[in-house]
Amino acid sequence: MATVSPPWAYTLHLPHDPRAPRIARGTLRLVLAAHGLPELAPTAELVAAELLANAHCHTKGPCALRLRSADTGRLRVTVWDTDPHVPPGFSTAPAPPPPPDAEHGRGLPLVRACADRWGASVLRELGASKGGKVMWAECGAGAEAW
């Protein structure tokens, strides 16, 4: 039973540590259960894991996971990292598929396939945002990707 009505948001700051994505997925499951949205967990976990893995593999600094209710029954998963470069697989045009034997390059296409909407923003100003970029994806009840 949800105790807080939308809108709500949680932010988890994570160090550059290979365990961070696992900790973030566990936190995500707890937040969704607390808000009565456990059915979103499989898709939201996949989206968060891919965005966090991308942040871990391609940056040397910390990252943050933000979970926010987009509308009733919908969730926006956002990952901030210190690198201002938006990868080609997450721009408006999809990146070409990786070769069949490639070990990388499938995560962001998975996010695009599972999410209803996605996007990225470069944060050019230092200060509170610390620069870098945010990449986000929305999923929810009634999504076509389910």
Side-chain angles (χ1 to χ4, degrees):
M1 172 189 216
T3 58
V4 177
S5 299
W8 49 260
Y10 297 88
T11 303
L12 177 64
H13 297 272
L14 299 156
H16 190 265
D17 183 314
R19 297 168 288 207
R22 182 182 62 211
I23 292 166
R25 287 192 313 272
T27 301
L28 182 146
R29 281 191 305 273
L30 288 171
V31 167
L32 291 177
H35 287 282
L37 298 169
E39 69 278 3
L40 297 183
T43 301
E45 272 190 76
L46 178 116
V47 166
E50 292 300 338
L51 294 178
L52 288 162
N54 194 66
H56 181 76
C57 289
H58 300 289
T59 67
K60 300 281 185 217
C63 63
L65 171 69
R66 182 170 174 88
L67 307 172
R68 179 176 67 84
S69 61
D71 288 314
T72 302
R74 301 191 51 72
L75 177 72
R76 178 174 281 201
V77 176
T78 303
V79 171
W80 165 82
D81 67 47
T82 57
D83 182 6
H85 174 72
V86 176
F90 219 67
S91 61
T92 54
D101 59 344
E103 294 186 19
H104 299 285
R106 291 179 179 79
L108 296 180
L110 277 172
V111 171
R112 289 176 62 132
C114 291
D116 300 325
R117 292 184 283 188
W118 61 88
S121 296
V122 175
L123 306 172
R124 301 213 185 272
E125 294 194 24
L126 297 175
S129 71
K130 300 177 186 161
K133 71 174 168 300
V134 292
M135 295 174 55
W136 59 269
E138 280 186 15
C139 54
E144 292 177 18
W146 290 51

